[in-house]
């Protein structure tokens, strides 16, 4: 049984069949769609007015090819650990032997704008992306609350369509929770060159007659507000099982929860990260896919620990930025010229490489991800030289 039909749930179902599992698989999803990949929601779908939804598989393929029972529009709202039954919002019950919780996350709501007279949007599912895509052709003044990856990717699409964009960020710089300052500044400059304005160190405290009011007293005119202030795990199933779920659903290296026969993978899973030296939720496409594949194997008897370093990417106009591991609270080594728009930043704590970021340097990032995953410790002097071949670190 798979509770959740998103990236993690879909890839887990595929992996079970690929590993030879012949038993019954039921996948229950809240959305009306078959599993799809979420990065497109803030990338391709916003930039191309006719971009179709990229599904992992077409709806009929789940049943016809993989013999997976896919029930869309079926949110799991209850779970009985003793009877090993889950219940959905439409009143149905489904029995399970082993359960994978892959229910993902929901956008964190901005209470100050609830019941506002102006249009408030969030960006988490297909319908949200289609709504915002239409809005950036219809709306001229857009306030984006949150200077993280999702908000900035939305800002890119809206700015390219001639909208007037103001980004409100509570921190003193963009992407402060993931990027070093040198890259935050580069991204901000690129956005400003496309007309995007920023207000730092402020939050939205309410709405005005034609926009939003900020904590610093300023009023910003807006036809539309897009809120991107993070997400929260969907913990309904875990709570019904009596599992701790504050901050995520805790799992071990094999994806097992504290409940017998119950596993968790994807955005909702609270898993240990060697790079961060603590348990975190990893809200990335790569983790949802790769952790789910590993955990699916463990559900049918494999014993494979999953510990891939977190990795994600974002496209900001002509900047392709990739991040692996943890870039914060570390010493930074810059390889390349930051002025030419192609360089890498390596994060170190002592002799350990705990993170890396690349700007328009995909090949170097591919090597850095391998170095981090292998827990290699090349000499700092070598890393500081852009002539140093990172392949040597893997020998």
């Amino acid at each position: 049984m798979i509770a959740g039909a998103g990236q993690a749930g879909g890839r887990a179902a595929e992996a079970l069949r690929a590993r030879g599992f012949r038993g019954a698989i039921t996948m229950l999803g809240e959305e009306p769609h078959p599993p799809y990949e979420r990065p497109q929601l803030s990338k391709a779908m916003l930039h191309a007015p006719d971009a179709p939804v990229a599904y992992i598989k077409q709806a009929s393929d789940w049943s016809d090819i993989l013999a997976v029972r896919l029930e869309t529009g079926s949110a799991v709202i209850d779970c009985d650990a003793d009877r090993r039954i889950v219940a959905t919002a439409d009143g149905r019950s489904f029995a399970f032997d082993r359960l994978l919780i892959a229910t993902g996350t929901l956008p964190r709501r901005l209470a100050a704008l609830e019941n506002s007279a102006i249009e408030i949007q969030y960006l988490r599912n297909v319908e949200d992306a289609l709504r915002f895509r239409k809005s950036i052709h219809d709306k001229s003044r857009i306030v984006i609350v949150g200077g993280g990856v999702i908000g900035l990717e939305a800002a890119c699409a809206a700015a390219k369509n001639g909208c007037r964009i103001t980004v409100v960020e509570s921190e003193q710089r963009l992407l402060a929770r993931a990027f070093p300052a040198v890259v935050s500044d580069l991204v901000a400059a690129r956005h400003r060159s496309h007309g995007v304005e920023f207000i730092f160190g402020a939050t939205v405290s309410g709405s005005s007659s034609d926009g939003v009011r900020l904590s610093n007293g300023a009023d910003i005119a807006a036809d539309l507000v897009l809120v991107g202030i993070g997400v929260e795990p969907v913990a309904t199933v875990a709570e019904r099982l009596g599992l701790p779920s504050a901050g995520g659903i805790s799992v071990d290296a094999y994806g097992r929860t504290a409940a017998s026969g119950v596993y968790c993978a994807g955005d909702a899973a609270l898993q240990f990260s060697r790079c961060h030296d603590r348990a975190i939720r990893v809200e990335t496409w790569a983790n949802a896919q790769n952790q789910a594949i590993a955990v699916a194997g463990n559900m049918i008897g494999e014993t494979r620990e999953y510990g891939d370093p977190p990795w994600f990417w974002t496209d900001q106009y002509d900047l392709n930025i990739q991040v692996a591991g943890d870039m914060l609270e570390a010493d930074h080594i810059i390889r390349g010229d930051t002025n030419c728009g192609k360089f890498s930043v390596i994060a170190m704590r002592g002799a350990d490489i705990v993170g890396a970021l690349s700007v328009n340097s995909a090949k170097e990032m591919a090597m850095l991800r391998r170095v981090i995953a292998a827990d290699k410790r090349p000499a700092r002097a070598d890393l500081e030289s852009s002539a140093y071949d990172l392949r040597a670190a893997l020998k």
Side-chain angles (χ1 to χ4, degrees):
M1 172 67 64
I2 300 173
Q7 178 84 27
R11 294 304 186 190
E14 284 184 325
L16 287 169
R17 291 298 187 225
R19 283 163 165 72
F21 178 68
R22 297 182 180 276
I25 301 174
T26 300
M27 182 163 48
L28 306 173
E30 179 178 10
E31 294 186 47
H33 311 282
Y36 59 86
E37 308 214 349
R38 290 196 185 273
Q40 64 187 310
L41 302 182
S42 59
K43 295 179 171 69
M45 286 187 66
L46 297 188
H47 289 275
D50 56 351
V53 180
Y55 294 106
I56 293 176
K57 276 184 169 41
Q58 294 304 309
S60 60
D61 291 344
W62 291 105
S63 57
D64 297 348
I65 297 176
L66 291 184
V68 171
R69 179 181 179 182
L70 171 62
E71 296 284 346
T72 57
S74 300
V76 177
I77 62 169
D78 202 359
C79 184
D80 187 318
D82 295 329
R83 297 170 59 204
R84 304 192 83 72
I85 290 176
V86 297
T88 55
D90 55 10
R92 292 182 295 166
S93 296
F94 299 83
F96 68 87
D97 296 313
R98 281 154 289 180
L99 172 66
L100 175 65
I101 303 173
T103 45
T105 56
L106 288 174
R108 186 173 291 118
R109 310 290 293 188
L110 183 56
L113 292 181
E114 294 295 323
N115 303 313
S116 175
I118 59 175
E119 184 177 358
I120 311 299
Q121 293 187 17
Y122 294 82
L123 189 55
R124 187 56 181 169
N125 58 37
V126 166
E127 287 73 23
D128 293 339
L130 294 175
R131 186 180 305 113
F132 188 73
R133 185 168 76 183
K134 182 177 185 299
S135 298
I136 63 179
H137 293 283
D138 295 342
K139 308 290 184 180
S140 60
R141 302 173 302 175
I142 299 177
V143 168
I144 296 177
V145 185
V149 168
I150 299 299
L152 293 178
E153 289 181 347
C156 286
K160 288 181 178 180
N161 277 280
C163 296
R164 293 169 53 191
I165 311 297
T166 302
V167 176
V168 180
E169 168 54 48
S170 61
E171 300 282 352
Q172 295 299 325
R173 61 182 177 88
L174 299 176
L175 300 154
R177 299 169 186 85
F179 285 18
V182 63
V183 184
S184 296
D185 294 344
L186 175 63
V187 172
R190 200 61 107 245
H191 275 276
R192 289 190 177 105
S193 72
H194 286 79
V196 177
E197 297 182 358
F198 295 101
I199 298 175
F200 293 109
T203 59
V204 172
S205 58
S207 59
S208 59
S209 58
D210 67 343
V212 298
R213 181 165 291 117
L214 304 186
S215 57
N216 61 11
D219 288 336
I220 308 297
D223 303 303
L224 165 69
V225 179
L226 178 71
V227 179
I229 55 173
V231 295
E232 297 176 342
V234 178
T236 306
V237 179
E239 290 170 354
R240 295 296 188 272
L241 289 168
L243 295 172
S245 57
I249 302 168
S250 182
V251 299
D252 65 12
Y254 303 97
R256 299 175 298 202
T257 72
S260 176
V262 179
Y263 299 73
C264 181
D267 290 5
L270 184 65
Q271 56 187 293
F272 182 78
S273 166
R274 178 179 57 80
C275 295
H276 296 76
D277 196 28
R278 58 187 172 88
I280 63 171
R281 285 191 304 103
V282 182
E283 302 162 6
T284 70
W285 166 89
N287 182 75
Q289 171 175 283
N290 298 335
Q291 185 191 29
I293 291 171
V295 173
N298 294 333
M299 292 176 71
I300 56 173
E302 296 181 10
T303 54
R304 174 188 168 191
E305 293 189 6
Y306 176 80
D308 291 4
W311 169 76
F312 71 92
W313 84 96
T314 180
D315 293 320
Q316 304 286 326
Y317 305 105
D318 60 337
L319 302 175
N320 172 255
I321 304 172
Q322 300 186 38
V323 183
D326 182 18
M327 295 301 297
L328 303 184
E329 298 180 7
D331 296 326
H332 291 148
I333 297 171
I334 296 178
R335 288 168 56 90
D337 184 356
T338 59
N339 294 317
C340 74
K342 183 177 181 179
F343 61 94
S344 297
V345 183
I346 299 174
M348 299 191 72
R349 296 192 194 110
D352 295 327
I353 301 177
V354 296
L357 180 150
S358 70
V359 177
N360 293 332
S361 299
K363 290 183 178 180
E364 181 149 291
M365 172 52 72
M367 294 304 305
L368 286 168
R369 287 176 65 191
R370 292 177 60 190
V371 171
I372 296 170
D375 197 17
K376 297 296 185 179
R377 296 176 174 83
R380 185 186 183 101
D382 288 334
L383 294 173
E384 289 173 340
S385 171
S386 57
Y388 175 69
D389 189 342
L390 290 168
R391 289 176 295 185
L394 294 169
K395 296 178 180 178

